[in-house]
Amino acid sequence: MTTEPRSRAERRRDTEHRLNDDTDVWVATSSADGVPHLVPLSFVWDGKALLVATPRDRVTGRHLAESNIAQLGLGHTRDVTIIEGVVEVFEMDELPHGLAQRYVARAGRHPCAESTLCRWCCIAPRRIRGWRDVNELPGRVLMRERTWLACERDLDGRSGEWRSIA
């Protein structure tokens, strides 16, 4: 049974909760000739980007470094957050120590435990969409061009006009 759709403000809160509390994310990439690849990776959110780690010689590591874009999926098919992001790649020793420690605490392991040729990938969301069911498809875009969106009605109960919020 479909429940009432959440407001955009509620969806943003739910998305931020997922970013702050979830441990793993599906990471979709593709090769230069369009061959897709999908893997789950542990992540940590710093409020602006998701940090993942991957061996440089694996498919995901190569794709992230070559294309500098990724699409991420959080949640379940009936409560999903899809993130399109821009990737910045860092060597293991280039990341601020505190962020690396947060990642290890969240993931429960250091990314170099399996391979010494790992690198960090910071994925900054450019667009975020979130919905639970077909009734939430309208208004599913929560972030556009790195700016959170909210409906005025969500904020003050009066209007249905869209505007960016910081």
Side-chain angles (χ1 to χ4, degrees), residues 29-141:
T29 61
S30 67
S31 66
D33 56 352
V35 177
H37 188 70
L38 179 68
V39 296
L41 293 176
S42 297
F43 79 97
V44 67
W45 170 251
D46 73 355
K48 295 185 191 255
L50 292 91
L51 176 68
V52 300
T54 182
R56 66 176 61 238
D57 61 347
R58 297 227 178 115
V59 173
T60 302
R62 288 194 314 268
H63 287 178
L64 289 171
E66 291 168 5
S67 71
N68 295 103
I69 58 171
Q71 194 163 68
L72 313 174
L74 282 169
H76 310 285
T77 55
R78 295 257 178 182
D79 188 5
V80 66
T81 299
I82 303 293
I83 300 167
E84 296 169 23
V86 179
V87 178
E88 189 173 359
V89 177
F90 297 93
E91 297 306 320
M92 280 288 130
D93 60 352
E94 293 179 326
L95 199 68
H97 185 66
L99 189 53
Q101 284 182 321
R102 283 185 54 210
Y103 175 91
V104 171
R106 172 71 60 91
R109 62 175 172 72
H110 193 282
C112 289
E114 298 173 12
S115 168
T116 57
L117 300 175
C118 287
R119 63 177 127 201
W120 297 109
C121 297
C122 289
I123 305 168
R126 192 180 70 215
R127 184 168 93 149
I128 297 178
R129 295 172 288 154
W131 68 94
R132 285 191 177 149
D133 210 337
V134 68
N135 68 343
E136 287 193 357
L137 289 177
R140 66 185 169 266
V141 177

